[in-house]
Amino acid sequence: MTFSPHDHPHRRRNLLTGRWILVSPHRAGRPWQGETDDAAPSPNARYEAGCYLCAGNVRSNGERNPDYVGTFVFDNDFAALMPDTPAPQEGDPHFPIASARGSARVICYSPDHSLTLPQLSHGAVKALVDSWCQESGELGARFANVQIFENKGAMMGCSSPHPHGQIWASDFVPTEVADEDREQAAWHAERGQVLLAEVVERELAAGERLVEVNDHWLAIVPWWASWPFETLLIARDPVIRLEALGDPVREALAAILRRLTRRYDALFGVSFPYSMGWHQAPGGSIDPAAWRVHAHFNPPLLRSAIVRKFMVGFEMFAEVQRDITPESAAARLRGVLIDDD
Ligand code: H2U
Ligand code: ZN
């Protein structure tokens, strides 16, 4: 019997984190009689009096949102990180502890309560991209890491349907970013090449994991994807941080973000839940030149609008495992029809 990656269990290594993933393609056809949650209904009111993110409304801390147009950024009223936290006493080997300072912000994508990222106009998504870049530059000057992310959908723990994301800046480099910093630096040192630059070239040539591509960006289901329809959005230009993106590259980013998220929505005919996060060279990087700015989309859905992938059991105690191959996930995302506007 000769090995086939489409039929036989095998492991793939995530080059960004160094962690291995078990791929078991033959399991994809197993019956499912487990949890089936109802697909969350999409809101249709453009303004909700009870929404703490709508323009003009009062938030839980008593502050009133301005009558904003476009994006609106404010300091999180329940910030997980604060700039002036006192430092704990370090040094007990049995109770390791370290200080954590930073700043947390919320970013509203639009005053329109009813929209999601794929439904925003190109101009509105471009304004969001500009906000991300501005926040990254501003907070990056003060903190080691700026983590920009969006939890979309109730399934991903999002607290409000109003389109929004978050930014957590920290004076330390968090674990995931530190892993990527280490792996990219090691690749650069060993091969003299930027890891994601090579990934872009290899994926363009291979084609089978491509989802969307334009002049400045590439969206793939990565070789090592953990989540069924996980994608990696990579800058094709040698850019290590968001604030360094030029205007044409930002326009192209807005375009590919809309196309990628519309593919997600079209896949199961539902507003597709995901957790999305940007990664870029942190302050104090081992080797900033080894970096390439990129975003991860980690969606939980597996086989329909209601059947999700659980990261439990083997995934929790041993190693992440997936059933459908990244190649078949990419083919399905490429195959859906989306508007061309
Ligand atoms: P989600 O991205 O998980 O929906 O979180 C929204 C954030 O909004 C959450 O971190 C903040 C919460 O602390 N928030 C405010 O800052 N003010 C409010 O009035 C409510 C929610
Ligand atoms: Zn709202």
Side-chain angles (χ1 to χ4, degrees):
M1 229 182 1
T2 52
F3 172 77
S4 156
H6 309 294
D7 300 316
H8 297 136
H10 60 278
R11 295 166 84 205
R12 300 186 185 192
R13 189 163 167 271
N14 182 333
L15 292 174
L16 280 172
T17 63
R19 294 193 283 268
W20 288 87
I21 284 102
L22 174 63
V23 186
S24 321
H26 60 294
R27 287 184 88 243
R30 73 188 190 285
W32 179 262
Q33 296 183 320
E35 185 201 57
T36 54
D37 13 55
D38 289 328
S42 305
N44 40 36
R46 305 183 64 181
Y47 168 80
E48 276 290 344
C51 172
Y52 55 79
L53 299 178
C54 277
N57 286 0
V58 175
R59 299 203 305 276
S60 16
N61 71 343
E63 243 175 78
R64 186 177 290 279
N65 295 329
D67 277 322
Y68 64 95
V69 288
T71 62
F72 166 53
V73 179
F74 64 91
D75 286 326
N76 197 311
D77 303 316
F78 308 91
L81 291 157
M82 284 161 292
D84 45 11
T85 308
Q89 186 86 42
E90 295 179 29
D92 186 325
H94 297 105
F95 302 102
I97 192 167
S99 77
R101 296 193 188 96
S103 182
R105 294 178 176 172
V106 178
I107 175 166
C108 299
Y109 293 2
S110 160
D112 191 327
H113 183 87
S114 70
L115 299 178
T116 62
L117 197 156
Q119 296 167 323
L120 295 173
S121 68
H122 176 88
V125 179
K126 168 63 165 49
L128 171 61
V129 168
D130 286 334
S131 285
W132 283 338
C133 297
Q134 190 189 324
E135 292 298 319
S136 174
E138 204 182 299
L139 288 165
R142 292 164 51 206
F143 297 107
N145 190 65
V146 181
Q147 187 56 57
I148 295 170
F149 63 95
E150 176 188 359
N151 298 322
K152 177 164 175 272
M155 200 182 261
M156 291 313 280
C158 182
S159 62
S160 161
H162 195 111
H164 70 283
Q166 296 194 49
I167 306 165
W168 294 18
S170 58
D171 70 346
F172 56 92
V173 179
T175 310
E176 287 290 326
V177 182
D179 285 353
E180 291 199 1
D181 191 51
R182 183 194 62 236
E183 294 301 316
Q184 288 176 104
W187 185 277
H188 199 205
E190 272 163 38
R191 297 176 58 91
Q193 302 283 338
V194 171
L195 167 60
L196 288 181
E198 286 197 89
V199 166
V200 165
E201 291 315 313
R202 292 298 305 272
E203 294 293 0
L204 279 171
E208 58 181 344
R209 281 169 299 276
L210 286 182
V211 177
E212 278 287 343
V213 56
N214 65 25
D215 286 349
H216 297 287
W217 297 89
L218 186 78
I220 55 170
V221 178
W223 168 255
W224 55 76
S226 292
W227 296 92
F229 295 97
E230 173 178 335
T231 54
L232 184 62
L233 178 57
I234 314 169
R236 295 179 67 178
D237 304 82
V239 178
I240 67 167
R241 289 191 58 92
L242 282 167
E243 59 268 33
L245 298 176
D247 207 57
V249 185
R250 296 184 190 192
E251 293 282 359
L253 174 54
I256 202 167
L257 278 168
R258 290 176 81 230
R259 292 186 63 86
L260 175 62
T261 54
R262 284 171 176 212
R263 285 194 182 282
Y264 275 145
D265 280 7
L267 184 66
F268 295 134
V270 66
S271 182
F272 209 71
Y274 58 69
S275 205
M276 179 280 295
W278 281 98
H279 280 149
Q280 49 181 346
S285 167
I286 299 166
D287 179 4
W291 271 86
R292 178 64 63 87
V293 70
H294 61 273
H296 300 266
F297 281 81
N298 291 355
L301 294 179
L302 174 59
R303 45 172 93 194
S304 74
I306 52 174
V307 176
R308 81 173 96 170
K309 158 99 183 148
F310 286 96
M311 288 288 185
V312 296
F314 194 85
E315 283 89 341
M316 192 179 271
F317 302 113
E319 184 166 293
V320 165
Q321 181 266 348
R322 64 178 295 126
D323 299 343
I324 65 167
T325 62
E327 293 72 31
S328 62
R332 288 183 62 183
L333 285 169
R334 272 198 311 273
V336 299
L337 290 173
I338 55 166
D339 293 344
D340 251 339
D341 77 319

